[in-house]
Amino acid sequence: MTPEWYSLSWFSPETLRSFTWGQKLFLYGLLLIPFLFSIRWLLFVRFRQKLALTMPGKRFYWSLTSLLRFIPDLLVSMVVALIIIALARPQRINQRVELSSMGIDIMLVMDVSRSMLALDFQPNRLEVAKKLAKNFVNNRFQDRIGVVVFAGDAYSLAPLTTDYDLLNHLLGDINQNMIQNPETALGTAIAVTINRMRESNSKSKVAIIISDGESAAGNIDPLTAAKLAKVNQIKLYTILVGREGMVQAVNSEGKIVQQNNTVDETIMREISRIGDGRFYRASNAAALQSIFKQIDAYEKAPITEARYKDTEDFYQIYLRWALVCLVAWIATKCTFMNNILED
């Protein structure tokens, strides 16, 4: 609530610091006021000394009441200071920014099979993929994002939503025990993704498939599923994670063993080709992070920004105070009060 103009709160340091000054250079004029007042004081002292010389028999005593003669000068100084503050244009600016975006729909399709626990990524492939997926989500604006997890089966973990806090929570909870079938069903995962996205009215629909193995399960051929995705105007990005050759992995008993890791790039490349997307191969965490950044840049939606600035001036407040001080100066300088102050 804005105080009345006669409130002394307009002179508090908090209030003065809250202003934006339209003509800030005028504030330097306030530095001249103490200088001029000091000159007035020196002239007064000098005048008393001369008066003492011309009237040697007269003693002049100093008293606190003699300071009353400076009241008119003080009032004039206040008038000048208040006018300077008004000229500096104290104001408050409320800036409102409105952003509009043609949000796109993105489905993160994540492999949670046991092979995603391989230790060629630290701490493992799945944890790195989860972390980077969270970063990807946090860099989006007004995009609806959903999550599908798959191994030998697939199911939707999160529908398309803009609740990014919920998505981060669900991504953090992903683990290899979510689906008991340990194999990889790429076709089924794409089919579940299509079911989630086919009702979308978005002009741009994207699925990002993260997997480390060849499709060896499911009742739907991955290439057939990719063709269905294209019919539904869903763009498919595929990311193949992991190194070929001997890697440390976790077996069915939870023990770390050495195993030969083989990958089939052909199927992942073909899925991305059919789905009008891109294929990426990530052999380490840094490469996977770079891939997410590239996809984030490719699929940015245009954002329109509108800025509204509301400016409220408060110079009238200080002009009113200047008028009050001016009236007070006239009362002390041009009336019987002047005689009282001089005596």
Side-chain angles (χ1 to χ4, degrees):
M1 182 177 179
T2 303
E4 298 292 341
W5 71 268
Y6 48 79
S7 172
L8 293 178
S9 64
W10 292 107
F11 300 96
S12 68
E14 293 79 10
T15 300
L16 294 173
R17 281 196 296 265
S18 69
F19 290 138
T20 299
W21 302 91
Q23 302 293 334
K24 196 172 184 177
L25 289 177
F26 277 104
L27 294 176
Y28 290 104
L30 295 174
L31 301 176
L32 296 176
I33 295 175
F35 176 72
L36 296 175
F37 201 75
S38 299
I39 292 176
R40 174 69 175 86
W41 175 273
L42 293 174
L43 290 175
F44 170 71
V45 172
R46 183 65 175 169
F47 171 74
R48 286 184 64 87
Q49 291 174 347
K50 287 184 177 181
L51 195 60
L53 292 173
T54 57
M55 302 177 65
K58 186 77 171 177
R59 284 179 172 268
F60 292 92
Y61 296 96
W62 177 264
S63 67
L64 290 176
T65 57
S66 62
L67 293 175
L68 295 176
R69 67 182 68 250
F70 287 101
I71 289 180
D73 297 323
L74 181 61
L75 289 170
V76 169
S77 299
M78 291 174 64
V79 170
V80 174
L82 290 165
I83 291 176
I84 289 174
I85 291 175
L87 290 173
R89 292 289 299 277
Q91 53 192 218
R92 289 178 182 150
I93 299 175
N94 295 321
Q95 185 167 287
R96 182 162 49 93
V97 178
E98 291 186 358
L99 297 173
S100 61
S101 170
M102 295 185 298
I104 65 178
D105 286 349
I106 301 172
M107 191 67 74
L108 296 173
V109 187
M110 301 188 65
D111 187 348
V112 296
S113 61
R114 187 176 296 115
S115 58
M116 287 292 285
L117 298 180
L119 304 179
D120 50 347
F121 287 52
Q122 291 298 321
N124 58 52
R125 296 172 181 174
L126 181 58
E127 290 302 318
V128 171
K130 285 163 54 177
K131 178 182 177 181
L132 296 178
K134 286 182 181 180
N135 293 339
F136 178 82
V137 168
N138 292 331
N139 286 331
R140 308 306 298 180
F141 175 76
Q142 288 190 352
D143 297 327
R144 295 197 305 167
I145 301 176
V147 181
V148 169
V149 292
F150 72 97
D153 300 304
Y155 73 91
S156 174
L157 182 64
L160 292 167
T161 179
T162 56
D163 188 344
Y164 297 157
D165 289 336
L166 173 64
L167 289 169
N168 279 318
H169 177 73
L170 293 174
L171 286 169
D173 288 342
I174 290 176
N175 61 78
Q176 76 281 1
N177 297 319
M178 302 182 80
I179 299 175
Q180 296 303 314
N181 189 339
E183 296 182 323
T184 304
L186 276 172
T188 304
I190 297 172
V192 172
T193 301
I194 295 171
N195 285 333
R196 275 299 186 184
M197 304 189 80
R198 64 180 177 179
E199 301 297 331
S200 169
N201 294 321
S202 175
K203 293 182 179 179
S204 181
K205 294 179 282 188
V206 175
I208 303 173
I209 304 169
I210 306 168
S211 179
D212 67 347
E214 56 185 327
S215 182
N219 298 321
I220 303 176
D221 177 64
L223 300 184
T224 301
K227 293 175 183 177
L228 289 173
K230 181 170 183 174
V231 170
N232 286 275
Q233 299 180 325
I234 300 172
K235 191 183 298 184
L236 301 178
Y237 286 90
T238 56
I239 304 175
L240 184 61
V241 297
R243 295 198 305 263
E244 288 189 283
M246 298 301 295
V247 298
Q248 286 187 323
V250 179
N251 63 17
S252 58
E253 298 176 356
K255 296 180 179 179
I256 298 177
V257 297
Q258 290 284 337
Q259 71 176 27
N260 186 32
N261 186 56
T262 59
V263 296
D264 182 7
E265 286 191 13
T266 305
I267 189 69
M268 296 285 276
R269 286 184 180 277
E270 192 64 14
I271 288 172
S272 62
R273 187 192 67 78
I274 294 172
D276 295 326
R278 290 172 181 262
F279 166 78
Y280 298 95
R281 177 71 186 275
S283 58
N284 54 55
L288 184 57
Q289 182 177 14
S290 175
I291 289 167
F292 266 107
K293 287 182 178 180
Q294 291 179 47
I295 295 175
D296 185 55
Y298 289 144
E299 297 300 335
K300 283 291 188 185
I303 296 174
T304 303
E305 180 180 287
R307 293 183 177 269
Y308 301 90
K309 186 181 289 187
D310 299 322
T311 303
E312 184 178 5
D313 282 301
F314 294 93
Y315 67 88
Q316 307 95 329
I317 304 292
Y318 298 96
L319 285 180
R320 289 179 182 179
W321 275 103
L323 183 60
V324 170
C325 292
L326 180 62
V327 171
W329 175 79
I330 294 174
T332 57
K333 194 68 178 175
C334 303
T335 65
F336 71 94
M337 288 291 294
N338 185 51
N339 295 330
I340 296 175
L341 297 175
E342 293 291 336
D343 290 341

